[in-house]
Amino acid sequence: MTENDGLILITLFCLPLLSAILLMLIPSKERSLIIGLTGIASSLMFIVSIYVFLSYDFNSTAQYQGIFSLSWVSDIGFIAKDGIQLKVGIDGIAASMILLTGIVILAGTIVSWKIQYKIKDFFILLYILVAGVFGTFAMLDLFFWFLLYETAVLPMYLLIGVWGSTRKQYGAMKLMMMLVAGSILIFAAIFMIFAESQLGTFDMQALSSVQFDRNFQILVFPLIAIGCGTLGAMFPFHAWSPDGHASAPTAVSMLHAGVLMKLGAFGIIRLGFQLLPEGGQYWGPGLMTLGIVAALYGAISALKQTDLKLMTGFSSISHMGYVFLGLGTYSLIGISGAVLQMFAHGVMTALFFLLIGAMYDQSHNREIPNFSGLAAKMPIWSIFFVIAGLASLGLPGLSGFVAELHIFIGTFQSYPIIGGLAVLTAAITATYLLRMFSTMFFGEFNEKWNQLNDMNYLEKAGALILAASILFLGLWPSPWMNRIADSIQLGIPGVLM
Amino acid sequence: MISKYLYLLPEIILLTTGLLVLFLDAFSKELDVGRRIFGPLTIFGALSAGLVSLLFLGEEKILFNIYSVDNLTSYFRILLCGILFLLVLGTQEYNEKRIQHVGEYYFLLLAATLGGIVMVAGVELLTIYVGLELLSFSLYVATSSLINDKKSGEASLKYVLIGGVGSAILLYGLSMIYGASQSTFYEVIQVNLANPEIINLELLILGLIFFFAGIGFKLSAVPFHMWAPDVYEGAPTPITAFLSTSSKAIVIGFLFRFLAGPLLPVMEYWQWLILTLSVLTMIAGNLIAIQQSNIKRMLAYSSVGQIGYILMAFPSLSSETLSAALFHLTGYLVTNLLIFIVVALFYTKHDETQMIDDFRALSDRQPFLALALSAGLFSLAGMPLFAGFFTKFILFQSVVQNGYLWLVVIAVTMSTVSLYYYLQVIKQMYLYDDDKEDSKWSPSLSGIFTTGILFFFMIFLGIYGTPFYAFAEKATMILF
C-alpha cells in the first residue's frame, strides 16, 4: 500500500458511518430506498476491502503500510505532542481481517433485507457496529483502537434485544455486561502501557519500539489476553457466547461469530504480541492450555446440543479454541494458522448462521431431532450446509483444512500431547456434524415440514459469496498465507520460525 | 474605584433579574403581568450574565481581597449561567404547569446560581460560606414548590434538616481550620499552614475531618448521601436537575480553589480523607442504584456515583489532574442536564409516577428523545462516541500517571456496573412494545431545541473535546 492508500482505510471506516447517518435521514416508510442504499453501501465496503487486501505491498519492509495520521489530541496534560492521533495503517493480518469483514457484511446485508420490523434502525445499528469493526482492524492508535472496539460492542445490545429470538433480553444483557467487563482489563492494560512507556503517546508504532521491562510485560499481557479473550470467547470467559448467538438475529450472529469474535483474537496479536512480545512468549503455554480446553469443551458441548444454533455456538467456541492454540505456540506456523483459522472460521460460521436463519424464518424451529430428510425438500440449502460443515470439520480442499493443518503442525512442534488432543477434537467435531447431517438431511422426509421452501434468491446470493470464499481459501490459500507470514515476521519480535 | 465593581457585572445582572422577577411577581395583579413572563426574563438574565462573563478573562482581586475574578471564576460563571439558561429554556412548560409560584421559583433559581458563583469566586472563608448558604436556602425552598404534592414538602423538610446539619458541620470544620491557621483569607491560610511552627496539628486534623464531612453532605458523597434520593425524588424535576448539576459543580469548583490553595501545604493530612470518600462514593452509589425502580432515585444514586469519579482527581492534586477533572465535570454536567431535561419533558405531559417502566416504548413515540436519553445514559456509563468516554479517558490517564492505577480500576469496574442499570431504562425504551393506550404527545419546541443543543455538545465533547480541555487548563492554571 502506498501513502495515499491511507485515505482508503479512512474511507473504509467512514463509509459505514456515513451510511448510518444517511439512513437516519431517510423516512422509515421508504423501504425500497433503504434496501437500495444499504445494497450500494455494503457492496462498496466489499469492493474497498478487496482493494485493501490486494494492494498489500510485499516489497515494503515496514511493519505497517498505508499509514495515514491526523493529530487529534496534542499537548494536553500528560499527553505529549500528537499523543492521540487518528492513525490508520494495516499489516497482512489486518488486511485479511478487513477482507473477511467486507465479505460477511455483504452477505449479512443481503439476507437482512427480509427483515420487516424497523429495518431502518436495524441497518443504522449494524453499520455503526461495522464501522467499529473496520476501525479496530485499521487503527494504529490505542485510544481510537479502544474507542472503536467499544463502538463495535455497543450496538449489539439493541440488535439482539430488539430483533433477536428466544430469551433475547437475557442473551443481550449477558453478552453486553460480559464484553464490557472484559474491556475493563484492556482499558487498564492500555493505561499501564501508556504510563510505563513515559512517552505520553498512544501511538502503537511508537509504543511497539519501546522495550518494556520483562516483568511488566508478563504482568500486563494476561490483562490483554483475558480482556480480548472475552470477546474471542476464550474458555472460561465464553459464557456469553452460546446464549448471545442463539438469541441474535441472523445477520448479527453472522457478524458476531464471523467477525467480532475475531476482533478479540486480533487484539491479542495487535496489543499483546506486538507491544509485549516477551509477555506473549511467557504466557504462550497458558494460552495453549486454555485454547485446547476450549476446543475440547466446545466440541463435547456441541455433541449434546439439539438446538442447531446452540450447536453452532459451541462449535464456534471450539474453533476459536484452535485460534488460541495457534497463537499460544508463538511460532510462525502456529500464528499463521491461527490467523487463517480466524478467516476460515469467519466465513464458515457466517454461512452456518445464514443457513440456520433461512430455515428458522420459515419453520420457527431449530431442534435437530425434529427434522429429517430435508435434502429432498431443500436440496440447495442442504448442499450449502454440507459445504460449511465439511469446512468446519477440516476436509482438505476447503478453508478449515489449511488453517487447522498449520495449527496442528505448530502445536506438535512444541507440545505433542496437546497436538494429539487437538486432533481428537477434530474427530469429535466430525462426529457431531456428520450425525447432524444424517439426522436432518437423510432418512424419511417428515411431512410436517411440507410447507418449507428452499432458499430464496437473496439467501442464495449471500450463501454463494461465503461458500465461494471457503472454496477459494481452501484451494488457493497462498494469497492469505504470504501476507500473514510476511507480517508476522516483520511485526512480532522473537517469533519461532 | 467604580470600575472595580464592574468585575461583578454578571452577579449584578443575576441579582437584578432575580429582584425584577420577584417584584413583578409580587405586584403581578397591579401591573397586569402573566405567569408567562418570568421564564423568558430568567432565560434572558442567565444568558446575558453568561455572555458578560466572557469579558473578564484577566485576574483581579476585588472587595478587599475577598473575591477573585479570574479564569476559574469565569469558567464557572459561564458553566453555571449556561446550565441555568438551558435548564429554564428546556423546562418552561413543566414549571408553568407544575410549580405553585413560578415567579418565586425562578427567583430562587437565580439566587442559587448567584450564591454558587460567590462560593466559587470567594477567596475568604466567610464569603464562601455566605455563598453556600444562599445556594442551599434557595434550594431548600425551591424543593417544596410543587403544586399539591406532599412528597415535595417532605423532601424539602428532609433537605432543610440534613442540609442544615451539613452546613453546621462544615462551618465547624472551617472554624477549626481558621483556629489552626489564624486567618480566613486563603492566601494567609496557605502561608500559615506551610509554617510548621504556627499550626496546631490536632486542631487542624479535626477541622479537616469536619470540613470533609460537611463537604460530603453538600456533594452527597457516601456515607453522607442519604438525603439525596429522597430529595431528588420529591423535588420538582428541574430542581433535581439543578441539584445534580449546578449544585455539585459549585462545590467541586470551591474544592478546586480551596484544596489547591490554602490546604495544599497540608495535603498529606487530607489526601486519605478524600480518597476514602471517592472510593466509597463510587462503589456504594453505583451498587445501590442497581436496585432502584424509580427513575429519579436511580439517577440520584447514579449522580452520587458519578461524583466519586471526579473526586478521584483530588488525592493526586496537580494541574493536569485538576484540568482533567474540570473537563470531566463539564462533560458530566452536559450529559446529566440532558438526561434530566428529557425526563422533565416526559413528565410535563405525563403523570409524574417516576417509574422506569413509564418510559416503555418511548422510541416509538418520540424517537429523538429516546435517542438523546439513551445516548446520555451511555455517556454516563463511559461508552464511546459520547462525552463520558473521552472526558473519563483523559481524567483516568492523568490519575494513572500519578500512580493511582488501582483507583482507576475500581472506577472502570463501577462504570461497567452502572451500565447495567442504565440499560434497564434503555431496555424499556427500545425493547418493549407499547402496552398503554396513550394519546399522541409532543414536547415543547424549546424543549426539543435544548435537548438538541446538549446532544450536540455531548457528541462534540466525546469526539473532539480538545478545545474544551484547553479552556479547562487555562482555568485551573491560576491555581498553581
Side-chain angles (χ1 to χ4, degrees):
Chain A
M1 290 196 110
T2 60
E3 290 298 311
N4 290 339
D5 286 338
L7 284 173
I8 297 281
L9 291 174
I10 295 271
T11 319
L12 189 61
F13 108 91
C14 287
L15 204 61
L17 272 188
L18 281 178
S19 319
I21 293 169
L22 266 181
L23 276 173
M24 282 181 201
L25 302 175
I26 298 177
S28 318
K29 280 170 285 179
E30 303 282 346
R31 202 181 151 80
S32 48
L33 193 59
I34 292 167
I35 287 174
L37 182 74
T38 53
I40 294 170
S42 295
S43 312
L44 273 177
M45 287 173 219
F46 179 61
I47 292 166
V48 174
S49 64
I50 290 178
Y51 175 80
V52 168
F53 185 74
L54 291 180
S55 63
Y56 180 86
D57 179 11
F58 286 100
N59 297 322
S60 164
T61 51
Q63 188 181 349
Y64 302 113
Q65 313 183 351
I67 291 171
F68 174 87
S69 70
L70 195 72
S71 179
W72 204 260
V73 175
S74 204
D75 279 325
I76 67 171
F78 293 106
I79 298 172
K81 187 168 188 305
D82 293 338
I84 296 178
Q85 308 170 57
L86 182 69
K87 185 171 182 181
V88 291
I90 53 156
D91 55 9
I93 302 169
S96 312
M97 290 297 112
I98 285 173
L99 177 63
L100 169 68
T101 315
I103 293 171
V104 175
I105 181 62
L106 181 60
T109 305
I110 293 173
V111 294
S112 299
W113 285 337
K114 62 185 170 191
I115 289 178
Q116 296 296 328
Y117 181 69
K118 292 190 185 171
I119 186 169
K120 182 180 108 171
D121 305 84
F122 178 85
F123 274 111
I124 291 174
L125 289 167
L126 195 70
Y127 279 147
I128 293 175
L129 187 154
V130 171
V133 174
F134 274 135
T136 315
F137 286 136
M139 250 350 125
L140 290 181
D141 182 278
L142 283 176
F143 170 81
F144 276 104
W145 192 90
F146 188 70
L147 187 145
L148 291 160
Y149 179 88
E150 293 268 281
T151 309
V153 173
L154 199 58
M156 201 59 103
Y157 178 76
L158 288 176
L159 281 172
I160 296 178
V162 178
W163 290 274
S165 55
T166 48
R167 295 217 295 168
K168 57 188 181 182
Q169 286 172 19
Y170 171 77
M173 185 63 94
K174 188 170 173 183
L175 176 140
M176 187 78 182
M177 293 314 295
M178 278 196 74
L179 294 188
V180 175
S183 59
I184 296 174
L185 299 176
I186 306 175
F187 199 71
I190 288 177
F191 277 140
M192 286 167 88
I193 292 170
F194 173 74
E196 178 80 10
S197 74
Q198 298 291 342
L199 290 177
T201 179
F202 286 97
D203 182 1
M204 284 189 210
Q205 249 185 328
L207 288 172
S208 65
S209 59
V210 176
Q211 182 64 40
F212 290 104
D213 179 48
R214 186 177 154 80
N215 289 330
F216 173 80
Q217 297 199 22
I218 290 172
L219 177 73
V220 178
F221 184 81
L223 297 180
I224 293 173
I226 295 172
C228 293
T230 310
L231 183 55
M234 181 168 76
F235 184 86
F237 310 101
H238 63 281
W240 57 269
S241 151
D243 289 312
H245 286 148
S247 48
T250 304
V252 175
S253 291
M254 285 168 67
L255 260 173
H256 195 220
V259 179
L260 234 83
M261 282 164 83
K262 280 49 186 189
L263 215 59
F266 180 77
I268 294 182
I269 299 175
R270 243 315 141 74
L271 265 56
F273 287 172
Q274 294 188 348
L275 296 182
L276 310 164
E278 286 180 44
Q281 214 160 3
Y282 179 86
W283 286 104
L287 215 51
M288 277 180 91
T289 315
L290 289 181
I292 190 67
V293 172
L296 273 171
Y297 163 84
I300 293 171
S301 307
L303 270 177
K304 271 295 277 161
Q305 303 304 320
T306 52
D307 182 323
L308 206 47
K309 233 177 170 179
L310 274 178
M311 188 198 86
T312 318
F314 278 106
S315 148
S316 283
I317 295 177
S318 170
H319 282 89
M320 284 307 286
Y322 289 146
V323 173
F324 296 115
L325 193 60
L327 293 180
T329 60
Y330 207 74
S331 63
L332 178 62
I333 191 159
I335 299 177
S336 306
V339 180
L340 279 173
Q341 172 75 347
M342 280 153 71
F343 191 94
H345 175 249
V347 282
M348 173 193 89
T349 203
L351 182 55
F352 262 134
F353 281 118
L354 186 152
L355 295 167
I356 296 171
M359 191 194 66
Y360 181 75
D361 286 342
Q362 300 178 49
S363 63
H364 296 285
N365 196 322
R366 295 192 301 239
E367 291 294 309
I368 298 169
N370 287 353
F371 297 93
S372 62
L374 283 180
K377 184 74 189 167
M378 304 166 75
I380 298 176
W381 185 81
S382 306
I383 289 170
F384 276 123
F385 215 114
V386 169
I387 292 176
L390 294 178
S392 172
L393 59 80
L395 189 79
L398 297 173
S399 60
F401 172 73
V402 192
E404 285 174 24
L405 189 67
H406 278 76
I407 294 174
F408 291 168
I409 293 173
T411 318
F412 271 113
Q413 275 178 353
S414 37
Y415 293 95
I417 299 172
I418 296 184
L421 288 172
V423 175
L424 176 68
T425 312
I428 301 175
T429 310
T431 313
Y432 65 76
L433 281 169
L434 294 177
R435 195 182 60 183
M436 189 267 290
F437 288 170
S438 69
T439 319
M440 286 186 75
F441 300 152
F442 308 112
E444 201 172 319
F445 180 65
N446 186 344
E447 291 300 321
K448 182 178 157 199
W449 304 112
N450 229 344
Q451 83 287 11
L452 281 186
N453 294 315
D454 210 343
M455 301 159 81
N456 63 29
Y457 66 98
L458 288 177
E459 289 156 354
K460 276 181 204 156
L464 200 61
I465 298 170
L466 295 168
S469 317
I470 291 176
L471 284 168
F472 203 105
L473 178 61
L475 295 172
W476 191 34
S478 62
W480 284 269
M481 281 161 63
N482 294 341
R483 283 170 175 78
I484 294 164
D486 199 35
S487 303
I488 291 172
Q489 282 165 339
L490 285 171
I492 303 178
V495 70
L496 306 170
M497 288 301 159
Chain B
M1 192 60 215
I2 293 289
S3 66
K4 282 224 156 185
Y5 288 99
L6 270 181
Y7 283 100
L8 290 175
L9 200 55
E11 284 87 331
I12 293 171
I13 293 175
L14 285 177
L15 184 63
T16 321
T17 320
L19 290 177
L20 187 65
V21 167
L22 202 59
F23 178 81
L24 287 177
D25 187 35
F27 297 100
S28 54
K29 284 210 184 89
E30 287 84 346
L31 296 173
D32 195 28
V33 287
R35 285 157 64 89
R36 293 183 150 269
I37 191 163
F38 304 122
L41 252 178
T42 313
I43 292 169
F44 180 73
L47 184 63
S48 45
L51 290 178
V52 166
S53 309
L54 289 169
L55 296 174
F56 307 106
L57 295 175
E59 189 179 352
E60 190 74 35
K61 287 225 167 83
I62 51 168
L63 302 174
F64 311 101
N65 286 344
I66 64 168
Y67 205 80
S68 171
V69 179
D70 50 31
N71 285 343
L72 188 69
T73 308
S74 302
Y75 193 95
F76 273 92
R77 274 175 174 172
I78 295 165
L79 211 55
L80 295 176
C81 292
I83 291 174
L84 183 62
F85 166 70
L86 291 170
L87 181 64
V88 179
L89 187 65
T91 60
Q92 263 192 92
E93 207 184 342
Y94 181 98
N95 298 336
E96 274 155 25
K97 202 167 153 187
R98 296 274 158 90
I99 302 294
Q100 191 134 25
H101 301 290
V102 189
E104 285 171 17
Y105 170 84
Y106 284 131
F107 166 73
L108 291 169
L109 278 177
L110 285 159
T113 306
L114 174 64
I117 295 176
V118 172
M119 191 175 171
V120 176
V123 285
E124 196 259 350
L125 291 179
L126 289 174
T127 317
I128 63 106
Y129 189 71
V130 171
L132 176 66
E133 287 303 276
L134 181 55
L135 166 74
S136 307
F137 272 90
S138 310
L139 291 177
Y140 298 152
V141 183
T143 303
S144 69
S145 53
L146 277 179
I147 298 176
N148 287 336
D149 192 322
K150 280 186 190 154
K151 268 199 169 166
S152 177
E154 184 194 325
S156 176
L157 189 61
K158 268 186 189 151
Y159 192 22
V160 173
L161 290 175
I162 299 179
V165 173
S167 293
I169 292 176
L170 180 66
L171 193 58
Y172 195 34
L174 287 177
S175 69
M176 280 191 267
I177 292 173
Y178 163 68
S181 63
Q182 300 163 12
S183 175
T184 57
F185 285 89
Y186 283 17
E187 277 181 344
V188 187
I189 297 176
Q190 188 169 9
V191 174
N192 287 353
L193 287 186
N195 185 347
E197 287 167 19
I198 296 180
I199 51 171
N200 178 343
L201 208 56
E202 291 81 11
L203 188 62
L204 178 73
I205 290 175
L206 203 58
L208 286 174
I209 292 173
F210 274 97
F211 171 74
F212 280 106
I215 288 293
F217 274 113
K218 294 296 165 195
L219 270 182
S220 66
V222 180
F224 311 105
H225 65 287
M226 303 79 70
W227 60 272
D230 292 335
V231 175
Y232 277 45
E233 186 188 350
T237 311
I239 295 299
T240 315
F242 195 90
L243 281 171
S244 82
T245 54
S246 282
S247 164
K248 293 196 186 215
I250 289 158
V251 181
I252 296 284
F254 157 70
L255 280 183
F256 275 177
R257 214 186 266 287
F258 198 61
L259 296 186
L263 291 189
L264 195 59
V266 290
M267 187 166 161
E268 53 190 307
Y269 300 114
W270 53 259
Q271 223 171 1
W272 62 277
L273 278 171
I274 202 146
L275 197 61
T276 322
L277 269 187
S278 166
V279 173
L280 285 179
T281 307
M282 277 191 282
I283 295 177
N286 282 314
L287 287 183
I288 302 173
I290 294 177
Q291 314 162 4
Q292 306 303 322
S293 55
N294 178 310
I295 186 145
K296 277 162 89 176
R297 287 185 86 86
M298 187 274 272
L299 289 172
Y301 281 112
S302 123
S303 20
V304 168
Q306 295 285 335
I307 280 303
Y309 305 140
I310 298 172
L311 290 180
M312 279 167 58
F314 292 106
S316 52
L317 197 70
S318 69
S319 106
E320 285 88 1
T321 44
L322 281 200
S323 322
L326 187 54
F327 180 53
H328 178 58
L329 178 70
T330 313
Y332 161 77
L333 293 177
V334 170
T335 310
N336 230 23
L337 191 60
L338 171 71
I339 289 173
F340 274 108
I341 284 185
V342 175
V343 171
L345 287 175
F346 182 81
Y347 284 126
T348 309
K349 305 283 176 173
H350 298 78
D351 284 340
E352 197 155 348
T353 40
Q354 302 187 358
M355 286 296 134
I356 288 178
D357 50 20
D358 290 350
F359 289 82
R360 178 162 293 190
L362 185 66
S363 64
D364 289 336
R365 294 237 178 63
Q366 292 295 331
F368 176 64
L369 288 189
L371 175 71
L373 187 53
S374 350
L377 293 170
F378 275 137
S379 171
L380 281 187
M383 288 289 123
L385 300 182
F386 309 116
F389 179 81
F390 188 59
T391 58
K392 260 188 201 164
F393 193 89
I394 299 287
L395 175 64
F396 288 175
Q397 63 86 14
S398 69
V399 174
V400 171
Q401 280 288 10
N402 281 301
Y404 284 99
L405 181 72
W406 61 272
L407 198 57
V408 168
V409 171
I410 295 178
V412 182
T413 314
M414 283 304 136
S415 302
T416 311
V417 170
S418 71
L419 182 64
Y420 175 77
Y421 58 82
Y422 295 135
L423 280 179
Q424 302 299 329
V425 185
I426 295 169
K427 189 162 99 179
Q428 293 291 342
M429 291 191 296
Y430 284 92
L431 265 54
Y432 289 108
D433 282 331
D434 213 355
D435 57 355
K436 276 174 296 201
E437 285 299 315
D438 191 322
S439 54
K440 278 250 172 221
W441 66 281
S442 57
S444 63
L445 208 60
S446 61
I448 292 279
F449 176 69
T450 321
T451 317
I453 293 178
L454 287 165
F455 188 64
F456 169 77
F457 268 112
M458 197 173 71
I459 303 253
F460 186 79
L461 271 170
I463 292 174
Y464 190 67
T466 325
F468 283 87
Y469 185 90
F471 294 141
E473 201 173 28
K474 282 211 180 73
T476 49
M477 204 111 77
I478 54 109
L479 295 173
F480 292 92

